[in-house]
C-alpha cells in the first residue's frame, strides 16, 4: 500500500507541476481548478472517463463544471499546448530526437461530432464511423510523448458550413489534407526551435514528394516510408520506380537488422539501401529502401534503421495515452471541445512520461556503484 500511495502522491505532484505551467491561461479560478481535477481523473483507474465519472472522482455533485471546462469556459487550448510542449522540451529535450507524424481513429456514434464520418481508422484496421486526429510525437532518449494535434475535417464537413457552425467550427477553418496538417506541425516545431534531428512518418505521409522536397530545402533530415509505386530520380531515369531498384542487388548488400522491439519481440527485417538523386550536396545523401532518406553523408545503415524503427514510438504513445490518460474517452461533440480534451490528455501523458524518466534516473543512480577517490597515504616521518 505504501508504494501505491507513494505513486499517487508522485502523480499528484507531477500533475501539479504541469498544471502550474499553464494555469495563467485561465482568467477565472473555476476552470483553473477544473483543469487540474480533469487531468487527475484522466490518469485515475476509472473504467470509463466521461463527464459524470470525472466529476465524481473530483468530488463534484454533477458534471456541469467538467462540461463547462470543455465547452463554454474562456481558454485557448493552443496556448495551453504551447506550455505543455515547453514542459516536454525542458524535461525530455534531446538534440538527437525524432519527430513522428501519424494519425489515429477515434470511434464515435452518430453524425454530429465534429469531423465524424465513415472513414478508415488505423486503430480498427478498417472503415468505421470515427473521427481522425493527426498527431506529432516526440521521441528522445528519455521518453516519447505527443506534442501537437489537430482534428482532421473531411470535405463532407468543410463543404457544409452550417454543419460546421453547429459543431463550433469557424468559417475560417477550411479543408486541409492530413499531409498539409502534418507539414504545419513540423514547421511549427522548427519555428519554435524544438530540439530534434530527424522526421519520420508512414507511407500515407512519406509518399508526398512535395513534403519531402520541403524538408530537404530546409535541410531537415528525414526517413519517410513510401510505397513500391513511388518513383525517384536516379542516374538512369527521372522517374525510376522504387520497386525496380532492389531485385538485382547482390546478397551482400542486404543486412539483417532489428528496427526495434514490437508487441511480439524485435522487428527483424532484411535491409538494403540504394543511393538516389545523384546531384546533391557533397555532405548529404539520398537513399531509398521503401523509405526515402535524406541525411548526412556519413550516416550509417544502422542509423537509418534506428530512425525508421522509431516510427512505432507514436503507436506506443497512442496506446498508452488511450489506456492511461483517456485520450479517446470523451463525450464532446464540438470542435473546440475536442482540442481541449485532447490537449489535457496530452498534458497528462507528458507528465507520466516525465515521471517515468525521473524514476529511471533514480533507479540508475541507485544501482550504479558508488564513486570514490583514491590517493596514496602520506609517508610517515618515523
Amino acid at each position: 500500500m505504501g508504494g501505491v500511495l507513494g505513486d499517487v502522491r508522485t502523480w499528484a505532484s507531477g500533475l501539479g507541476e504541469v498544471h502550474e505551467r499553464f494555469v495563467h491561461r485561465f482568467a477565472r479560478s473555476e476552470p483553473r481548478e477544473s483543469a487540474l481535477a480533469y487531468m487527475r481523473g484522466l490518469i485515475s483507474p476509472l473504467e470509463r472517463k466521461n463527464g459524470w465519472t470525472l466529476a465524481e472522482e473530483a468530488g463534484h455533485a454533477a458534471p456541469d463544471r467538467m462540461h463547462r471546462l470543455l465547452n463554454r469556459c474562456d481558454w485557448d487550448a493552443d496556448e495551453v499546448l504551447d506550455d505543455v510542449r515547453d514542459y516536454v522540451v525542458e524535461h525530455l529535450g534531446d538534440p538527437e530526437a525524432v519527430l513522428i507524424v501519424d494519425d489515429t481513429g477515434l470511434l464515435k456514434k452518430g453524425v454530429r461530432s465534429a469531423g465524424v464520418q465513415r472513414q478508415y481508422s488505423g486503430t480498427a484496421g478498417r472503415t468505421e464511423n470515427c473521427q481522425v486526429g493527426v498527431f506529432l510525437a516526440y521521441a528522445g532518449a528519455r521518453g516519447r510523448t505527443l506534442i501537437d494535434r489537430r482534428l482532421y475535417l473531411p470535405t463532407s464537413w468543410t463543404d457544409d458550413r452550417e454543419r460546421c457552425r453547429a459543431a463550433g467550427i469557424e468559417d475560417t477553418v477550411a479543408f486541409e489534407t492530413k499531409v498539409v496538417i502534418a507539414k504545419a506541425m513540423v514547421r511549427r516545431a522548427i519555428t519554435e526551435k524544438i530540439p530534434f534531428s530527424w522526421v519520420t512518418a508512414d507511407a500515407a505521409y512519406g509518399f508526398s514528394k512535395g513534403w519531402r522536397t520541403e524538408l530537404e530545402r530546409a535541410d531537415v533530415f528525414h526517413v519517410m516510408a513510401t510505397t513500391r509505386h513511388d518513383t525517384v530520380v536516379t542516374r538512369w531515369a527521372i522517374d525510376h520506380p522504387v520497386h525496380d531498384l532492389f531485385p538485382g542487388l547482390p546478397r551482400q548488400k542486404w543486412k539483417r537488422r532489428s528496427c526495434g522491439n514490437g508487441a511480439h519481440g524485435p522487428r527483424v527485417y532484411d535491409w538494403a539501401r540504394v543511393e538516389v538523386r545523384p546531384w546533391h550536396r557533397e555532405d548529404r545523401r539520398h537513399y531509398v529502401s521503401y523509405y526515402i532518406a535524406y541525411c548526412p553523408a556519413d550516416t550509417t545503415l544502422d542509423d537509418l534503421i534506428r530512425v525508421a524503427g522509431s516510427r512505432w514510438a507514436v503507436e506506443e504513445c497512442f496506446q498508452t495515452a488511450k489506456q492511461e490518460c483517456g485520450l479517446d474517452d470523451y463525450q464532446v461533440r464540438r470542435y473546440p471541445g475536442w482540442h481541449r480534451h485532447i490537449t489535457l490528455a496530452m498534458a497528462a501523458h507528458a507528465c507520466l512520461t516525465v515521471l517515468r524518466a525521473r524514476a529511471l534516473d533514480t533507479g540508475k543512480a541507485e544501482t550504479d556503484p558508488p564513486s570514490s577517490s583514491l590517493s596514496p597515504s602520506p609517508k610517515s616521518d618515523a
Side-chain angles (χ1 to χ4, degrees):
M1 176 64 75
V4 173
L5 288 175
D7 287 343
V8 170
R9 293 191 189 101
T10 300
W11 297 339
S13 174
L15 285 179
E17 181 183 346
V18 177
H19 180 252
E20 190 64 29
R21 292 298 187 102
F22 58 79
V23 70
H24 63 287
R25 303 296 186 182
F26 302 94
R28 297 174 54 244
S29 62
E30 180 188 304
R32 284 199 295 268
E33 295 164 0
S34 295
L36 181 56
Y38 195 88
M39 290 192 297
R40 284 175 175 163
L42 288 177
I43 66 169
S44 71
L46 294 170
E47 184 176 348
R48 296 287 296 169
K49 297 171 182 178
N50 54 44
W52 274 103
T53 58
L54 293 180
E56 290 174 355
E57 181 72 11
H60 302 167
D64 298 4
R65 290 178 61 177
M66 297 303 184
H67 289 165
R68 282 197 297 271
L69 174 70
L70 298 182
N71 296 304
R72 295 192 295 278
C73 289
D74 183 18
W75 61 284
D76 190 320
D78 288 341
E79 291 178 349
V80 170
L81 184 66
D82 289 342
D83 298 325
V84 173
R85 196 158 40 234
D86 289 344
Y87 167 83
V88 170
V89 170
E90 179 178 326
H91 295 285
L92 304 176
D94 179 0
E96 298 299 316
V98 182
L99 297 181
I100 312 157
V101 171
D102 203 359
D103 54 73
T104 187
L106 305 155
L107 303 182
K108 291 295 164 187
K109 296 179 181 179
V111 297
R112 291 196 291 171
S113 297
V116 71
Q117 72 167 21
R118 285 190 59 77
Q119 54 193 322
Y120 181 77
S121 165
T123 306
R126 59 184 180 274
T127 299
E128 290 280 2
N129 197 64
C130 65
Q131 296 168 298
V132 172
V134 181
F135 289 83
L136 184 66
Y138 186 84
R142 303 190 71 236
R144 60 278 306 266
T145 191
L146 304 169
I147 61 169
D148 209 344
R149 80 289 177 263
R150 177 90 68 82
L151 180 63
Y152 168 69
L153 296 175
T155 54
S156 64
W157 277 82
T158 55
D159 289 347
D160 186 344
R161 299 319 303 188
E162 288 299 322
R163 188 186 189 195
C164 284
R165 293 182 195 114
I169 303 168
E170 297 182 359
D171 290 349
T172 55
V173 179
F175 172 74
E176 290 183 328
T177 67
K178 295 170 189 172
V179 171
V180 168
I181 294 171
K183 288 164 68 174
M185 290 180 176
V186 173
R187 284 191 205 119
R188 187 178 303 121
I190 295 170
T191 299
E192 295 180 359
K193 295 181 170 52
I194 304 296
F196 73 96
S197 285
W198 298 89
V199 174
T200 189
D202 68 17
Y205 298 89
F207 188 75
S208 170
K209 285 185 172 68
W211 191 21
R212 298 198 307 254
T213 299
E214 178 180 321
L215 291 173
E216 180 181 337
R217 286 174 176 167
D219 202 30
V220 174
F221 307 143
H222 52 273
V223 179
M224 309 290 274
T226 190
T227 72
R228 66 189 306 273
H229 303 293
D230 201 355
T231 60
V232 292
V233 177
T234 67
R235 66 184 71 244
W236 306 285
I238 297 297
D239 289 307
H240 200 122
V242 167
H243 61 80
D244 283 350
L245 294 173
F246 294 92
L249 290 180
R251 180 60 214 171
Q252 59 267 29
K253 289 285 187 180
W254 294 87
K255 307 295 181 184
R256 179 156 292 189
R257 298 284 190 274
S258 169
C259 62
N261 291 326
H264 305 290
R267 295 185 178 92
V268 178
Y269 303 100
D270 288 332
W271 298 80
R273 64 176 173 176
V274 175
E275 189 173 353
V276 296
R277 300 283 299 280
W279 306 282
H280 49 61
R281 283 174 47 173
E282 189 60 33
D283 60 339
R284 298 287 184 263
R285 291 292 184 275
H286 301 82
Y287 293 105
V288 61
S289 55
Y290 287 60
Y291 289 82
I292 303 292
Y294 171 74
C295 56
D298 59 354
T299 303
T300 66
L301 178 61
D302 285 343
D303 289 334
L304 296 180
I305 292 170
R306 176 185 62 81
V307 177
S310 69
R311 183 165 60 84
W312 281 279
V314 71
E315 298 295 340
E316 178 188 309
C317 288
F318 289 151
Q319 182 179 7
T320 56
K322 289 176 180 180
Q323 292 177 350
E324 300 176 2
C325 306
L327 186 78
D328 61 344
D329 212 356
Y330 56 88
Q331 294 178 315
V332 291
R333 290 198 176 109
R334 292 170 60 82
Y335 188 71
W338 185 91
H339 288 89
R340 290 179 173 190
H341 165 83
I342 295 296
T343 299
L344 293 175
M346 289 168 58
H349 187 265
C351 169
L352 295 184
T353 304
V354 169
L355 292 178
R356 286 176 178 134
R358 289 175 179 169
L360 288 173
D361 291 343
T362 301
K364 185 176 183 301
E366 291 175 350
T367 56
D368 284 346
S371 60
S372 60
S373 59
L374 298 175
S375 64
S377 299
K379 293 181 179 179
S380 172
D381 292 332

